[in-house]
């Protein structure tokens, strides 16, 4: 009987349908991106370590199992986080005392920004804060971004996402009250 | 396997005077030889020869130049840059240890490792002189093998434009006014052949007057598709000490990178296979297979080497907090980032 890595280690097989060269056909370039509807996970093939230490997940899988705009941590480096977000419909208004950045991994999303004049976040408060309502203040403008685009979510501004269809964002931020940590549910554990 | 404490076994030499760092001797192949401390570097048509008290280590010249290029461009990077399983550098952020056999179980078991400490500035100066002299006109140490000429043979000109590239770092976000520029055709960054299908469109921006620099987005994947280097991360977004470092990878990471802190990887496109080992002993730990959308931590106690069969886009996420190496080394912080 032929054994494979996937049998031995109980993780996805090393060899998949992904082409082994840069081109799917001779001379035709095909850059492989993932999406909510079409992703294949890799994995940790342990030889002598606990795979949990590698905190392995996939942003498309996480978003496929998330509620809209649930900010699920897929990376944490002390107080810093990377959050995977399912963008679908209209999000709450958020604000933070520091810059954040949002990278669109799938789909298209609008980002609306307001310079608030009716609230101030507490000094030292870290991470994104969900606001109870749209803040009063000057409208800063909006942008439409899609896969591969990276948007600045500037310090002190309130922002709201709107996605007509489900998409996936990766947000660079600091751990805060909106950050959801459910590592055992999203990560490879053995 | 545990090894003897470093303080008991390390041969440590004294940093030499700065005016004796470089020795300009030209050999019959046309290459200069260089010296810093007790280390001497020579090259011939095929190899770099690293001479140190009592012995010599040899590395194929193409592999040596590729590794040396990263060590220079990254400013000795975070932690250890192993050129191979014997020779490398450890960054102490102001000083650098250069070693033979320090992270090699066989060398260490018979106390054959050799280490010297230099100021980062002095060692960088010597490394820059080496790469400038030893890189021939047709070879680009940053280029994928399919995109560059060969590194071997007699001295034939130089390629200063290629070897004097520096690691690029945004202060806030790439593309913002006054910050790191986006790569463009006009500035000499054509779309790489392996990313010919990557859309080059721009985000739709509608800033109100006065908010042009705040309602801001860029096409990061387009920026990456125009990268002219491989395995050379550049900072594209900064949140305090949180650095998003984007890079394009093809063929093999030219060094085995030993972490002094946790770093995270997010695979944007295609596939990279990582071989992960214990940082000190080199004992195999695991393989990490990363496909688009995958996220993985590389713990602080490992070293790793990546293989990218097709040019791919990778996000390396670093924490630039200068206290981390000590906090990991002292045991205050666990080597892995999350307990669950």
């Amino acid at each position: 009987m032929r054994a494979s890595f996937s049998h031995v280690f109980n993780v996805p097989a090393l060899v998949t349908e992904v082409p082994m060269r840069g081109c799917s056909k001779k001379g035709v370039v095909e850059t492989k991106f993932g999406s909510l509807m079409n992703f294949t996970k890799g994995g940790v093939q342990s030889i002598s370590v606990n795979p949990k230490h590698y905190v392995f997940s996939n942003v498309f899988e996480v978003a496929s199992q998330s509620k809209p705009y649930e900010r699920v941590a897929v990376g944490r480096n002390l107080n810093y986080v990377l959050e995977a977000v399912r963008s679908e419909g209209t999000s709450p208004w958020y604000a933070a005392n520091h810059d954040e950045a949002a990278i669109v991994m799938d789909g298209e999303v609008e980002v609306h920004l307001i310079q608030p004049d009716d609230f101030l976040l507490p000094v030292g408060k870290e991470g994104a804060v969900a606001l109870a309502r749209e803040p009063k203040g000057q409208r800063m403008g909006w942008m439409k971004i899609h896969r591969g685009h990276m948007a600045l979510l500037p310090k002190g501004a309130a922002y709201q996402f709107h996605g007509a269809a489900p998409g996936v964002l990766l947000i660079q931020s600091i751990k805060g009250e909106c950050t959801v940590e459910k590592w055992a549910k999203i990560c490879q554990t053995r | 396997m545990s090894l003897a404490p470093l303080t008991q076994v390390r041969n440590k030499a004294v940093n030499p005077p700065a005016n004796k760092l470089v020795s300009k001797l030209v050999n019959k192949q046309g290459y200069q030889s260089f010296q810093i401390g007790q280390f001497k570097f020579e090259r011939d048509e095929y190899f770099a020869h690293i001479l140190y008290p009592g012995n010599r280590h040899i590395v194929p010249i193409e592999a040596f130049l590729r590794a040396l290029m990263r060590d220079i461009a990254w400013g000795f990077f975070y932690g250890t840059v192993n050129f191979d399983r014997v020779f490398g550098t450890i960054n102490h952020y102001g000083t650098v240890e250069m070693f033979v056999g320090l992270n090699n179980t066989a060398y260490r078991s018979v106390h054959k490792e050799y280490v010297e400490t230099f100021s980062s500035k002095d060692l960088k100066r010597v490394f820059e002189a080496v790469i400038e002299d030893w890189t021939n006109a047709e070879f680009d140490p940053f280029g994928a093998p399919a995109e560059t000429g060969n590194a071997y043979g007699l001295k034939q000109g130089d390629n200063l434009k290629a070897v004097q590239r520096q690691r690029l770092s945004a202060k806030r976000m790439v593309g913002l006014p006054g910050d790191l520029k986006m790569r463009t055709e006009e500035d000499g960054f054509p779309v790489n052949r392996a990313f010919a299908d990557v859309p080059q469109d721009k985000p739709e921006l509608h800033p109100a007057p006065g908010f042009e620099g705040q309602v801001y987005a860029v096409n990061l994947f387009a920026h990456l598709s125009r990268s002219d280097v491989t395995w050379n991360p550049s900072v594209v977004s900064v949140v305090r000490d949180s650095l998003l470092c984007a890079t394009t990878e093809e063929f093999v990471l030219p060094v085995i990178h030993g972490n002094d802190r946790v770093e995270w990887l997010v695979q944007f496109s295609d596939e990279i296979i990582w071989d992960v080992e214990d940082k000190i002993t080199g004992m195999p730990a695991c393989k990490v297979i990363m496909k688009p959308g995958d996220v993985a931590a590389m713990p602080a106690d490992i070293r790793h080497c990546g293989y990218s069969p097709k040019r791919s886009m990778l996000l390396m996420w670093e924490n630039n907090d200068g206290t981390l190496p000590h906090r990991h080394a002292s045991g205050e912080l666990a080597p892995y980032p999350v307990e669950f």
Side-chain angles (χ1 to χ4, degrees), chain B residues 10 28 33 38 61 69 97 134 157 224:
Chain B
R10 190 176 295 192
K28 62 184 178 184
S33 298
Q38 301 301 305
I61 193 63
M69 187 74 264
E97 286 181 305
W134 289 8
L224 283 170

Side-chain angles (χ1 to χ4, degrees), chain A residues 81-138:
Chain A
V81 288
L82 292 179
E83 297 167 333
V85 177
R86 179 188 181 94
S87 56
E88 183 177 9
T90 303
S91 78
W93 283 89
Y94 297 102
N97 271 330
H98 47 79
D99 281 350
E100 298 172 283
I103 299 171
V104 183
M105 299 292 287
D106 185 27
E108 184 175 84
V109 67
E110 290 179 9
V111 189
H112 295 260
L113 294 112
I114 290 177
Q115 182 86 69
D117 56 20
D118 64 343
F119 74 89
L120 215 54
L121 294 177
V123 175
K125 181 85 172 172
E126 296 193 326
V129 173
L131 308 178
R133 56 176 174 75
E134 179 177 319
K136 292 192 173 115
Q138 188 176 357

Side-chain angles (χ1 to χ4, degrees), chain B residues 35-259:
Chain B
Q35 185 164 359
I36 180 166
Q38 301 301 305
F39 279 99
K40 190 174 179 189
F41 296 89
E42 297 175 354
R43 87 153 276 186
D44 57 24
E45 290 193 59
Y46 291 111
F47 299 103
H49 300 253
I50 302 163
L51 294 90
Y52 60 99
N55 216 326
R56 140 189 337 230
H57 180 61
I58 296 178
V59 184
I61 193 63
E62 180 172 346
F64 180 82
L65 293 175
R66 288 183 178 282
L68 183 66
M69 187 74 264
R70 271 68 183 184
D71 215 9
I72 295 167
W74 300 344
F76 304 106
F77 210 36
Y78 295 118
T80 307
V81 174
N82 296 288
F83 285 46
D84 59 11
R85 297 187 180 284
V86 175
F87 176 77
T89 60
I90 302 176
N91 195 355
H92 295 290
Y93 310 96
T95 63
V96 179
E97 286 181 305
M98 188 156 62
F99 62 83
V100 173
L102 186 64
N103 293 334
N104 184 298
T105 304
Y107 278 67
R108 289 283 297 279
S109 65
V110 290
H111 304 317
K112 291 289 188 188
E113 74 279 11
Y114 182 78
V115 186
E116 281 190 61
T117 302
F118 303 98
S119 84
S120 305
K121 200 185 292 181
D122 287 345
L123 188 57
K124 186 166 186 277
R125 199 179 112 217
V126 172
F127 277 8
E128 285 171 345
V130 173
I131 200 127
E132 286 175 8
D133 187 68
W134 289 8
T135 303
N136 285 324
E138 67 177 45
F139 181 63
D140 178 359
F142 273 127
E147 297 179 324
T148 187
N150 89 62
Y152 303 102
L154 302 174
K155 173 81 173 163
Q156 290 178 328
D158 57 45
N159 195 354
L160 297 182
K161 190 179 169 198
V163 302
Q164 290 177 348
R165 295 185 188 104
Q166 296 292 316
R167 189 182 185 196
L168 303 172
S169 293
K171 294 189 284 288
R172 190 180 186 195
M173 182 177 282
V174 62
L176 278 171
D179 210 323
L180 179 66
K181 285 179 73 178
M182 294 284 287
R183 298 186 184 101
T184 62
E185 196 84 29
E186 300 75 53
D187 287 341
F189 295 101
V191 175
N192 185 272
R193 82 213 190 282
F195 292 135
D197 58 340
V198 173
Q200 299 293 312
D201 61 291
K202 291 182 177 173
E204 204 180 300
L205 304 179
H206 302 277
F211 291 105
E212 290 80 2
Q214 295 188 67
V215 180
Y216 201 81
V218 295
N219 188 336
L220 179 61
F221 288 1
H223 178 69
L224 283 170
S225 73
R226 295 176 179 276
S227 174
D228 61 338
V229 292
T230 60
W231 307 101
N232 189 38
S234 61
V235 178
V236 294
S237 177
V238 179
V239 175
R240 298 184 187 164
D241 277 327
S242 163
L243 309 181
L244 297 187
C245 308
T247 170
T248 58
E249 322 293 46
E250 185 171 344
F251 189 51
V252 182
L253 174 61
V255 307
I256 308 168
H257 176 217
N259 291 5

Side-chain angles (χ1 to χ4, degrees), chain A residues 167-189:
Chain A
V168 182
L169 301 174
L170 184 70
I171 298 182
Q172 176 192 23
S173 188
I174 298 178
K175 184 182 171 186
E177 62 188 42
C178 294
T179 308
V180 176
E181 293 189 86
K182 47 181 179 181
W183 302 104
K185 285 186 179 168
I186 66 168
C187 293
Q188 182 179 334
T189 55

